[in-house]
């Protein structure tokens, strides 16, 4: 009765490894300009339109970012310390710093200066939590004007716009992308017994 | 039940490695051995299949009783452990796998030596390697082996869609890593999102366990005994973190040898059980003393009928080597100078496969050889 069964392995063996190697050809942002912040508009010929588009996208960010009712849920998707309340994500690691805004009459009213997010270890719920902004993807609007979309990414380097995953970013896409300040994580609290015994933990 | 002496396939090493079997040789000694195979009749296979299924059902009833009565006295568990056990049972945390080890030579009912309910290994070789052997060696024979598909089905029923499942084991141990990666393989095939990390890489951020990418660990398969976890620095974080572990905490009750006397009390004279007690004097004749949390045949003392010590093994990583159970010695069946132990796998509490390890000594250790089986 079991003679016809065939065992397939997904990860193990020589067959399973094919196709798992990293592949940069599918970068979801390929063909788009990606800006980290408004300062980067200055070097563009369409600097003014660029600033306007980013300001719109930033407003859009608060409206369309994935929303969670607890910090835990948000962090489960976007990484520890990479989430905040709407006011935190606008003032935190977003690139609209007071310096960038100072000479920009088109900028929306903003909190003065970046306020580093306070890591919150304890459970926090009852509000709205959303991921920190990573940057903006530039494109053309239907009318032919310059448009921008807010971008997020999770710790596995998947890019999102709105709540929609765009795909895996290539590793070198944002080598210096702003990193959320990580919570103090301690490691090594498990494993002591096993390493002392140096035999199988199995039986 | 017969032991066949057979010719190993000349390319067995290449074949083993091609399917990802990295630990066919352990410490220079062959661990996977196909110079022999055990052969059964269909009726014999039905017998051990039924025995394992009966025992699994009895074990679940025993756990239900113990938790309903809060009767943890026999186990020597801490309050933390008892509270985790109750939480996991009330939350109905699912169990994945276990292995019942039997002494048997056919004929009389198989006798349970012990239940490896928390961190059993020798799974990949039972599920995949001996199946690959059967298909190339004796295609027209059959094998008691539905482990692979039962694992995939079990993962599908774990309620983990849309969640990430982490797998962990100790570092620098090919056998443990091989077992863990095989289980992860079956989870991937069930459509689950998985990550792996070594046990010492697990992080604690003050609220939750996290992996190296700082992603929360919400469900964790650990090839690492509960009694080790609970004596380590992060133990106190397990409950507040809400993490679900596989095996769940309630499996702690079944993974100690304390269940041997408790099963004997609850099901006296059951045909698949050997007399067992916490009291040495209650077991007559030759007997075996086993520590509660002994593993890989460690810390075992064999007493002859006159009370003298017949054999003894070195202690292992047992946190309480002086807590012992006594089990009546069973004449271990011998085949060509080898003592086989029949390990019947239960996946999600369903008996579904057999793996045999044999040793030149009557106490099976981690140096025992794995030999394939077939039935006609």
């Amino acid at each position: 009765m079991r003679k016809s069964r065939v065992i397939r392995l997904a990860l193990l063996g020589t067959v399973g490894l094919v196709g798992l190697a990293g592949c940069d050809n599918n970068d979801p942002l390929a063909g788009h300009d990606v800006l980290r912040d408004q300062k980067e508009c200055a070097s563009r010929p369409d600097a003014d339109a660029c600033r306007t588009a980013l300001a719109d996208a930033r407003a859009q960010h608060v409206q369309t970012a994935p929303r969670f009712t607890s910090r835990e849920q948000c962090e489960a998707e976007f990484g520890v310390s990479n989430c905040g309340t709407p006011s935190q994500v606008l003032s935190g690691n977003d690139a609209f710093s007071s310096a960038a805004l100072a000479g920009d009459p088109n900028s929306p009213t903003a909190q003065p200066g970046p306020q580093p997010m306070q890591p919150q270890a304890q459970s926090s719920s009852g509000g709205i939590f959303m991921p920190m902004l990573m940057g903006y993807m530039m494109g053309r609007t239907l009318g032919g004007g310059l448009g921008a979309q807010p971008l997020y990414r999770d710790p596995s380097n998947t890019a999102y716009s709105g709540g929609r995953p765009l795909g895996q970013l290539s590793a070198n896409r944002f080598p210096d992308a702003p990193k959320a300040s990580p919570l103090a994580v301690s490691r090594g609290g498990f494993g002591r017994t096993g390493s002392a015994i140096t035999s199988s933990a199995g039986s | 039940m017969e032991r066949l002496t057979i010719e190993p396939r000349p390319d067995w090493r290449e074949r083993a490695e091609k399917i990802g079997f990295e630990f066919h040789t352990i410490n220079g000694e062959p661990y996977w051995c196909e110079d022999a195979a055990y052969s059964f009749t269909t009726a014999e296979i039905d017998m051990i299949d039924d025995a394992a299924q009966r025992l699994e059902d009895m074990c679940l009833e025993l756990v239900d009783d113990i938790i309903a009565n809060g009767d943890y006295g026999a186990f020597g568990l801490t309050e933390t452990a008892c509270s985790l056990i109750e939480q996991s049972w009330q939350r109905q945390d699912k169990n994945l796998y276990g292995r019942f080890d039997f002494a048997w030579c056919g004929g009389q009912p198989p006798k349970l030596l012990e239940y490896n309910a928390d961190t059993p290994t020798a799974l990949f070789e039972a599920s995949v390697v001996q199946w690959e052997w059967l298909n190339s060696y004796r295609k027209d024979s059959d094998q008691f082996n539905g482990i692979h598909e039962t694992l995939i089905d079990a993962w599908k029923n774990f309620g983990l869609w849309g969640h990430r499942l982490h797998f962990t084991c100790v570092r620098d141990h090919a056998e443990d890593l091989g077992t863990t990666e095989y289980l992860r393989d079956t989870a991937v095939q069930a459509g689950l999102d998985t990550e792996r990390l070594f046990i010492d890489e697990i992080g604690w951020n003050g609220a939750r366990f996290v992996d190296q990418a700082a992603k929360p660990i919400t469900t964790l398969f650990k090839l690492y005994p509960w009694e080790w976890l609970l004596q380590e620095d992060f133990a106190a974080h397990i409950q507040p973190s809400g993490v679900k572990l596989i095996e769940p905490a309630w499996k702690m009750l079944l993974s100690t040898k304390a269940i041997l006397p408790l099963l004997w009390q609850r099901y006296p004279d059951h045909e698949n059980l050997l007399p067992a007690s916490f009291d040495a004097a209650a077991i007559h004749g030759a007997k075996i003393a086993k520590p509660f949390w002994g593993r890989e045949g460690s810390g075992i003392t064999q007493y002859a009928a006159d009370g003298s010590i017949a054999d003894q093994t070195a202690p292992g990583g047992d946190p309480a080597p002086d807590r012992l159970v006594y089990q009546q010695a069973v004449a271990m069946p011998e085949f060509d100078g080898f003592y086989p132990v029949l390990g019947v796998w239960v996946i999600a509490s369903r008996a579904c496969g057999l793996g045999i390890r044999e040793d030149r000594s009557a106490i099976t250790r981690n140096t025992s050889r794995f030999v394939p089986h077939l039935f006609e």
Side-chain angles (χ1 to χ4, degrees), chain A residues 2 5 8 10-14 75 77 80 121 155 186-187 189-194 197 200-203, chain B residues 18 99 116 119 121 131 145 148-149 173 176 185 189 201 204 207-208 211 214-215 224 231-232 234 295-296 317:
Chain A
R2 301 184 180 90
R5 72 198 266 274
R8 292 192 176 81
L11 305 173
L12 300 169
T14 46
E75 290 185 348
E77 281 298 312
V80 174
S186 56
R187 298 190 192 268
F190 282 137
R192 183 171 45 80
T193 320
I197 286 164
S200 170
S203 53
Chain B
K18 200 174 159 198
R99 195 191 72 232
N116 296 282
T119 58
T121 51
W131 183 257
N145 190 354
H148 189 77
E149 50 272 49
H173 200 286
D176 287 9
D185 190 305
Q189 294 191 57
E201 291 174 324
W204 171 252
R208 277 162 301 147
D211 64 17
K215 285 257 192 188
Y224 198 79
Q231 64 185 9
E232 298 184 349
F234 283 173
R295 33 192 350 101
E296 305 270 0

Side-chain angles (χ1 to χ4, degrees), chain A residues 32-144:
Chain A
H32 289 277
D33 288 346
V34 173
L35 272 61
R36 290 262 302 282
D37 59 34
Q38 225 176 12
K39 279 184 284 186
E40 295 182 4
C41 288
S43 57
R44 294 169 62 104
D46 51 359
D48 285 348
C50 173
R51 288 193 191 95
T52 307
L54 262 58
D56 288 349
R58 185 164 176 273
Q60 190 195 337
H61 157 58
V62 186
Q63 300 301 318
T64 63
R67 282 154 185 270
F68 301 87
T69 53
S70 76
R71 183 182 298 276
E72 282 74 17
Q73 288 171 334
C74 178
E75 290 185 348
E77 281 298 312
F78 290 95
V80 174
S81 315
N82 207 20
C83 290
T85 61
S87 65
Q88 283 172 327
V89 298
L90 277 179
S91 61
N93 73 355
D94 174 49
F96 280 80
S97 67
S98 53
L101 293 169
D104 184 358
N106 294 326
S107 73
T109 28
Q111 312 275 339
Q115 298 166 2
M117 236 182 82
Q118 292 305 309
Q120 294 184 4
Q122 70 276 27
S123 171
S124 44
S125 57
I128 297 287
F129 295 86
M130 50 180 65
M132 301 301 221
L133 200 56
M134 175 188 88
Y136 304 89
M137 179 167 70
M138 307 302 288
R140 289 281 153 195
T141 64
L142 280 178

Side-chain angles (χ1 to χ4, degrees), chain B residues 7-26:
Chain B
E7 196 59 39
R9 298 164 298 172
D11 58 344
W12 69 268
R13 274 187 193 78
E14 292 74 31
R15 285 173 168 273
E17 281 159 20
K18 200 174 159 198
I19 53 174
F21 187 36
E22 308 273 342
F23 50 101
H24 54 69
T25 305
I26 295 179

